[in-house]
Amino acid sequence: MSTTNNLGESSDDNMNMSSEDDIARLQNILEARGVPPHALTSFGSRMHLFLNRSSSTMSHAQQLLGKLQSKQDNLQLDACVELCQMLVMGNEETLAGFPVRQCVPLLLSLLATEDNMHLMLQACRALTYILESLPRSSGYLVEAIPHLLLKLKSIQCMDVAEQALAALDMLSRKYAKNILQSGGMSACLCYIEFFSLNAQRSALSITANCCQVVTLEDGPLFLDSLPDLVSKLNTQDKKLLESCCLAFSRLVEQLKGSPAMLLQLCKDGLITSLQQLLLVGSPSVMSSGVFTMILRTLSTVFRHCTCLATEFIKQDASGTIRSLLVGHKAPVPNEPPPSLLHRSSTELYEILCLSAELLPQLPRYGIFSVDSIITGGEEEKHRQWFYRESGRESGTWHTFNKPENKIISAGCDSGETDVVLSMKLSSSTANDFTIDLSTMKMENEDTGEVYDITSSRKKKLLYQT
């Protein structure tokens, strides 16, 4: 026992000497760079405290790692519990120097001990707490994704499965592609009905994050899970419904370039479920954001797949839109025209967009050429832009070349306020110019010279006045 104490005292002495050497070395560097000596007194004490805290954390963590490598289950369990307490009470500052890289493989080996459920649960909790307390170390836990998904595919302990979902939920914010490629969507949705409400929310949150990174080649990774996902549209939980609608919205956005994939996506009754949700969805469950998200999702589907638009029209699309606007599908005989339901401008806009996607396209010529009337016809289409030196009211207006003129017109039409150009004026080399369309000024980024700009339409009005 005395030998052990002597070893512990000697290791502490070595640690203190090492920290003092580090502080002295740092002070020498700061003095060489001109930092006044009186500033080093308080700095040195704070640095000494930080190094001591970091050394203490490292020492305690190394002791726990030694116990995790033990062959005795009770020592491993105690170490896991103590490790969880350290992590849940710490943060990135107090846990500076924590050996995440060495700790994760040991916890994964304990997660695979199927004969000890308590040890599995504590190891899974420790992995979750690492993600919570040390979020910058999440890259070291990517290798844990297949092990955590295995606890969902073959459930031996419900607590372990739900703890694995909590860890995967945090990992999915940055590593959704890894989860998707490891079969994460099917693993999260396979037994979702048996999970608690919070675990179901985590499962659908993981699914929604995975849907954000799907590609046209990832069909086998998510198509089999769509029936389970469609069934969750009938939920009465607000957060579950929001995650489920977000998942489908992201899927449609990722797959809209392929009508065939959209048909695969909607073959399990997705359109009908969303239609019923719009009609009978309770405001206490479906927020205004989810309502507009559903409308936008349907508009995107019908814009890129006319077959689904035709099917929706056959399912009383006109009655659905009328109900969304006035509250009932069929007009009432001998009654005055109904007034619109109280809806936000965003909701009304999305309803109109959905209606427009169901109507046939009109010709773009003759009496239907309204775009040219609104935008000003050919004169507006070929608008010319001019510039002159700022402050010279009698200065000469110079025309922009055709490429620059096109870039400025496109920026103006799209509502941008700043346009960046690279062009030659008086010098032989090209300079960068920033055009502020709100103030109609152009500035040379290299020389700082400022120019007035105007368009052919505004210039014409200027001359008239």
Side-chain angles (χ1 to χ4, degrees):
M1 181 69 68
S2 60
T3 304
T4 306
N5 292 334
N6 291 334
L7 290 174
E9 292 175 359
S10 62
S11 63
D12 292 339
D13 292 340
N14 294 333
M15 200 175 299
N16 292 332
M17 292 176 61
S18 176
S19 63
E20 291 175 0
D21 293 340
D22 292 337
I23 294 174
R25 191 181 303 110
L26 183 60
Q27 287 178 345
N28 293 332
I29 294 174
L30 293 176
E31 288 178 358
R33 298 197 175 186
V35 178
H38 63 81
L40 299 176
T41 305
S42 59
F43 178 78
S45 61
R46 293 180 182 179
M47 197 65 188
H48 186 74
L49 177 62
F50 176 77
L51 291 175
N52 284 339
R53 182 185 299 170
S54 178
S55 301
S56 176
T57 301
M58 282 288 294
S59 177
H60 189 198
Q62 292 295 340
Q63 293 176 4
L64 293 178
L65 292 183
K67 291 182 180 179
L68 291 177
Q69 294 174 345
S70 172
K71 301 299 182 181
Q72 301 180 21
D73 289 352
N74 56 344
L75 288 179
Q76 292 176 329
L77 183 59
D78 292 340
C80 276
V81 173
E82 195 171 349
L83 182 62
C84 288
Q85 293 174 350
M86 176 194 292
L87 290 168
V88 79
M89 297 297 292
N91 53 43
E92 289 189 325
E93 181 180 352
T94 60
L95 295 174
F98 183 83
V100 180
R101 183 180 298 180
Q102 294 82 9
C103 185
V104 170
L106 295 176
L107 293 175
L108 292 180
S109 64
L110 297 180
L111 187 62
T113 56
E114 300 180 355
D115 56 338
N116 193 329
M117 299 298 173
H118 295 288
L119 189 56
M120 271 200 303
L121 179 59
Q122 293 300 328
C124 196
R125 283 177 179 169
L127 292 171
T128 307
Y129 295 152
I130 289 176
L131 290 169
E132 290 179 350
S133 302
L134 301 169
R136 297 182 184 178
S137 303
S138 60
Y140 295 115
L141 277 83
V142 175
E143 61 178 301
I145 289 176
H147 301 270
L148 295 171
L149 290 175
L150 187 61
K151 299 304 174 184
L152 302 177
K153 296 175 183 178
S154 178
I155 298 180
Q156 297 170 319
C157 176
M158 189 59 68
D159 290 336
V160 174
E162 294 187 353
Q163 191 65 51
L165 280 172
L168 288 167
D169 189 11
M170 287 182 282
L171 284 170
S172 68
R173 297 165 193 171
K174 290 181 65 176
Y175 305 102
K177 193 67 175 181
N178 300 78
I179 297 176
L180 177 67
Q181 292 176 342
S182 300
M185 281 187 62
S186 60
C188 291
L189 298 175
C190 185
Y191 301 107
I192 189 171
E193 297 297 337
F194 300 95
F195 296 143
S196 64
L197 181 59
N198 286 332
Q200 289 187 35
R201 290 173 177 174
S202 297
L204 285 183
S205 176
I206 297 167
T207 302
N209 290 333
C210 289
C211 291
Q212 196 172 16
V213 296
V214 300
T215 61
L216 296 177
E217 292 76 24
D218 294 330
L221 299 176
F222 66 88
L223 287 176
D224 293 339
S225 306
L226 292 179
D228 295 324
L229 194 57
V230 171
S231 66
K232 297 307 293 182
L233 289 172
N234 299 321
T235 182
Q236 295 301 311
D237 182 76
K238 190 173 184 177
K239 290 185 177 180
L240 286 180
L241 180 61
E242 181 178 356
S243 295
C244 193
C245 293
L246 181 61
F248 281 117
S249 175
R250 289 173 172 175
L251 277 176
V252 168
E253 194 64 30
Q254 294 296 110
L255 304 175
K256 63 183 181 182
S258 172
M261 287 298 294
L262 290 179
L263 286 172
Q264 288 286 321
L265 179 64
C266 300
K267 71 176 184 178
D268 297 303
L270 173 61
I271 301 299
T272 302
S273 298
L274 293 178
Q275 183 181 11
Q276 292 299 317
L277 195 58
L278 290 174
L279 294 174
V280 301
S282 171
S284 61
V285 177
M286 184 171 58
S287 64
S288 175
V290 174
F291 181 81
T292 55
M293 186 192 303
I294 295 173
L295 290 170
R296 195 176 300 118
T297 301
L298 290 173
S299 299
T300 305
V301 170
F302 299 149
R303 184 182 310 120
H304 294 89
C305 186
T306 56
C307 296
L308 293 173
T310 304
E311 291 296 325
F312 185 67
I313 292 174
K314 294 178 181 179
Q315 296 175 11
D316 194 18
S318 59
T320 299
I321 293 174
R322 181 183 176 86
S323 180
L324 295 177
L325 291 173
V326 300
H328 49 82
K329 288 188 175 183
V332 181
N334 302 324
E335 290 288 338
S339 58
L340 292 175
L341 294 177
H342 179 69
R343 294 195 180 278
S344 66
S345 58
T346 304
E347 293 175 350
L348 290 173
Y349 173 76
E350 294 297 339
I351 293 174
L352 291 177
C353 288
L354 176 60
S355 305
E357 296 300 336
L358 299 174
L359 296 174
Q361 291 189 355
L362 295 174
R364 298 179 181 271
Y365 49 85
I367 62 173
F368 299 103
S369 58
V370 292
D371 289 345
S372 61
I373 299 175
I374 296 175
T375 59
E378 291 298 318
E379 180 182 356
E380 180 69 18
K381 182 178 179 181
H382 300 289
R383 180 170 42 180
Q384 178 65 51
W385 290 84
F386 304 84
Y387 69 92
R388 72 178 178 187
E389 293 186 20
S390 182
R392 295 190 178 183
E393 298 296 332
S394 59
T396 303
W397 288 98
H398 304 280
T399 59
F400 285 92
N401 294 331
K402 189 174 181 179
E404 290 82 13
N405 192 80
K406 187 176 181 180
I407 293 174
I408 301 173
S409 297
C412 183
D413 294 338
S414 62
E416 296 181 11
T417 57
D418 293 328
V419 176
V420 179
L421 294 176
S422 179
M423 61 179 184
K424 297 179 182 180
L425 288 184
S426 57
S427 61
S428 58
T429 59
N431 295 323
D432 293 329
F433 295 85
T434 300
I435 295 177
D436 190 341
L437 292 173
S438 59
T439 60
M440 302 299 283
K441 298 288 185 181
M442 178 177 70
E443 181 179 358
N444 189 326
E445 296 292 340
D446 298 322
T447 63
E449 296 178 355
V450 180
Y451 300 83
D452 295 323
I453 66 167
T454 188
S455 64
S456 55
R457 182 175 54 182
K458 293 184 178 180
K459 189 166 177 286
K460 183 178 179 181
L461 293 176
L462 239 144
Y463 287 151
Q464 289 176 352
T465 56

